Amino acid sequence: MFDRPGTGERAILIHVDVNEECQRENLAEFRELSASAGAVSLFEFTSSCQTPNAKLFIGKGKAEEIENYIKANDVELALFNHALSPSQERNLEAIFKCRVLDRTGLILDIFAQRARSFEGKLQVELAQLKHLSTRLIRGWTHLERQKGGIGLRGPGETQLETDRRLLAQRIKQINRRLEKVTSQREQGRQSRKKAEVPTIALVGYTNAGKSTLFNTLTEAAVYVQDQLFATLDPTFRRLELDEACTVIFADTVGFIRHLPHDLVNAFKSTLQETKEADLLLHVIDAADDNRLHNIDEVNQVLADIGADEVPQIQVMNKIDLLDLQPWIDRDDQGEVKRIWLSAEKDLGLDQLKNLLMQRFKQDLLQTEICLSPSEARIRALLFDLGAIKNETTDESGNSILQLSVARRDLNQLVSREGLDIELFLSNKSLASG
């Protein structure tokens, strides 16, 4: 056996058309994945088969063809557009004498490059370690148990067993750290719920334009690039649509066909933001020929994480590439099903904001109240809330306040201060109690 080489950038792409739908992959998407990972594609090998070979996934003749090309062109990495078993990966490396990486490993590598936050790095490392734990079998002699004899007695476990034990310890350590981070994220989620500010999560297939839409709506500076998985760490921004409608937008990681289970499990706390949202904006690349297929894949992932019951509006993005104008599709009951827009060209965003305002606009209370000088603290709280639109003073020194405030915000104030909400609906003076 040979020492597995480090990952290189000179790569070949290997794609097999199989009859089984569960193993069928998209070649164009595979090219984008390899480019996003930084690989320099030297050549593409394609073939077709009824059922993948149990030993090599590809046929023996195709394996020999690829082996000859690798030897002649100094290839460092062989990328497969399929999930390989650990034994298939080992057998192929033994033939090719170069690093073999399957689709799952490729996606994990891209995630490792994109992770920026502490939580994101932990989640990716956890997924990588779980994936690696099934691929520790190697053929070196130092994996054998140490022989007996004076000076040769060892700990009694193979290098493989040592590696597995260290991996298990590291996985436990990461899980403990993620539990703390998850607890902090849950506190933030509960705070948003307590404030009764609706959360809108942007979901969709990777590279559909979620971050561009997020930046345009919220004037944020989330990293945007025409590549797969440009966004990994979730970002939250508060947006005031008008004085009576405030929402929180959440930009989330993009989905992809056959998203590795280890990644889904590792990112549960992040994906929980999607499950707990009040509305999902399902961003779709309207110019993508595979958009219907991508929609199904996203909905499948949403179902896997328990977010399929959250209300959803489809956002057909990039209509500028189709020379289309913004418009809104409604069902027979008049409910919005999808909206067509272009986030990059700022087409249809006003219509989207209006839709969101109609959906989340709070009950705006407009009334007039009278506060005595002894109730100056209540007056200050109302000013802090931005509820006072006009103020006058009567002959007795009382403050006559004209209020315009969201009933939700007012309810929170009177609950916190122990006031009677009914006093706001009459023109009487407020009293604590």
Side-chain angles (χ1 to χ4, degrees):
M1 295 290 286
F2 65 98
D3 187 355
R4 295 179 71 175
T7 301
E9 293 186 348
R10 292 172 55 83
I12 57 172
L13 309 185
I14 303 170
H15 173 82
V16 180
D17 286 323
V18 294
N19 288 340
E20 298 180 17
E21 175 61 28
C22 62
Q23 291 185 304
R24 192 174 301 160
E25 302 293 355
N26 185 286
L27 179 56
E29 185 176 86
F30 181 41
R31 296 188 186 110
E32 290 187 56
L33 282 171
S34 62
S36 296
V40 179
S41 177
L42 303 179
F43 195 78
E44 293 180 5
F45 289 90
T46 60
S47 64
S48 60
C49 66
Q50 294 287 336
T51 304
N53 183 284
K55 185 177 181 180
L56 301 174
F57 194 88
I58 55 177
K60 185 176 180 181
K62 179 60 70 173
E64 292 177 355
E65 178 187 350
I66 296 173
E67 177 190 2
N68 294 332
Y69 182 89
I70 289 174
K71 289 180 180 178
N73 294 275
D74 192 26
V75 175
E76 300 169 314
L77 181 64
L79 296 175
F80 273 76
N81 191 22
H82 310 275
L84 301 177
S85 68
S87 61
Q88 288 172 336
E89 200 171 283
R90 290 196 307 273
N91 294 335
L92 289 166
E93 286 185 343
I95 296 174
F96 296 164
K97 301 296 188 294
C98 78
R99 187 82 166 90
V100 173
L101 197 64
D102 68 353
R103 179 185 172 87
T104 300
L106 180 60
I107 294 175
L108 288 172
D109 182 81
I110 296 173
F111 270 61
Q113 294 180 45
R114 302 286 189 269
R116 294 292 180 269
S117 69
F118 175 70
E119 180 186 14
K121 292 177 180 179
L122 284 178
Q123 289 170 325
V124 172
E125 184 181 357
L126 178 62
Q128 286 180 315
L129 291 178
K130 288 183 176 180
H131 183 67
L132 179 63
S133 64
T134 64
R135 287 161 163 75
L136 284 178
I137 299 175
R138 296 163 71 182
W140 298 346
T141 56
H142 74 270
L143 297 187
E144 299 173 356
R145 291 188 181 277
Q146 297 194 26
K147 299 177 181 179
I150 297 174
L152 295 177
R153 296 183 179 91
E157 66 177 355
T158 66
Q159 182 65 41
L160 175 61
E161 290 169 336
T162 301
D163 289 345
R164 282 178 173 165
R165 176 168 51 82
L166 294 176
L167 269 180
Q169 292 175 355
R170 178 59 179 165
I171 288 174
K172 289 181 180 179
Q173 183 183 36
I174 293 176
N175 278 324
R176 285 195 297 267
R177 290 185 178 181
L178 279 176
E179 286 177 2
K180 294 181 180 179
V181 177
T182 301
S183 177
Q184 295 171 353
R185 184 178 289 278
E186 181 62 27
Q187 290 177 0
R189 189 182 299 118
Q190 292 301 325
S191 297
R192 291 193 295 273
K193 282 187 175 181
K194 189 174 181 180
E196 298 183 11
V197 179
T199 300
I200 302 172
L202 301 180
V203 300
Y205 211 74
T206 181
N207 207 26
K210 296 182 298 299
S211 295
T212 301
L213 179 61
F214 182 82
N215 287 343
T216 306
L217 288 172
T218 65
E219 298 182 357
V222 172
Y223 176 69
V224 175
Q225 192 60 259
D226 185 18
Q227 58 187 17
L228 301 186
F229 302 115
T231 301
L232 183 55
D233 300 309
T235 306
F236 297 88
R237 289 294 185 273
R238 189 183 185 97
L239 177 63
E240 291 188 5
L241 296 172
D242 69 4
E243 63 179 9
C245 187
T246 299
V247 297
I248 291 178
F249 275 95
D251 187 22
T252 63
V253 62
F255 300 146
I256 196 170
R257 179 177 172 84
H258 295 161
L259 190 66
H261 290 294
D262 289 335
L263 268 180
V264 174
N265 292 331
F267 278 76
K268 273 185 177 178
S269 61
T270 300
L271 296 174
Q272 186 74 12
E273 302 292 352
T274 301
K275 183 179 177 181
E276 299 293 334
D278 296 281
L279 176 67
L280 301 182
L281 291 184
H282 183 171
V283 184
I284 301 161
D285 184 352
D288 190 342
D289 294 336
N290 294 317
R291 61 182 179 275
L292 296 180
H293 174 77
N294 295 346
I295 291 172
D296 292 338
E297 292 298 328
V298 172
N299 288 334
Q300 181 59 53
V301 176
L302 291 175
D304 291 342
I305 63 177
D308 51 331
E309 298 298 325
V310 180
Q312 179 185 131
I313 295 178
Q314 293 183 352
V315 178
M316 307 301 290
N317 190 27
K318 305 184 183 181
I319 62 172
D320 54 300
L321 301 179
L322 301 174
D323 293 327
L324 298 176
Q325 294 299 314
W327 84 87
I328 298 173
D329 289 337
R330 299 179 183 269
D331 59 19
D332 295 337
Q333 287 73 40
E335 295 292 329
V336 177
K337 293 179 59 179
R338 65 183 62 87
I339 178 171
W340 298 72
L341 54 76
S342 172
E344 184 176 0
K345 301 299 181 181
D346 198 3
L347 299 174
L349 296 188
D350 289 338
Q351 290 94 319
L352 176 60
K353 290 180 180 179
N354 289 332
L355 286 177
L356 297 177
M357 279 193 289
Q358 293 171 14
R359 189 180 189 99
F360 294 110
K361 194 176 183 72
Q362 300 147 9
D363 183 11
L364 192 64
L365 178 64
Q366 294 182 329
T367 187
E368 184 179 272
I369 63 171
C370 177
L371 295 180
S372 67
S374 64
E375 296 171 319
R377 181 171 178 272
I378 304 299
R379 172 182 171 276
L381 290 172
L382 290 172
F383 265 112
D384 290 341
L385 196 61
I388 299 177
K389 299 307 176 184
N390 189 37
E391 179 184 19
T392 58
T393 304
D394 64 13
E395 297 177 353
S396 302
N398 297 321
S399 297
I400 310 300
L401 306 177
Q402 292 182 355
L403 303 183
S404 178
V405 59
R407 189 178 294 271
R408 180 204 66 201
D409 294 337
L410 187 59
N411 288 340
Q412 291 177 349
L413 174 64
V414 298
S415 175
R416 185 171 66 248
E417 301 298 326
L419 305 174
D420 184 357
I421 185 62
E422 293 303 323
L423 293 178
F424 280 96
L425 302 180
S426 66
N427 291 337
K428 299 178 181 179
S429 175
L430 288 174
S432 300

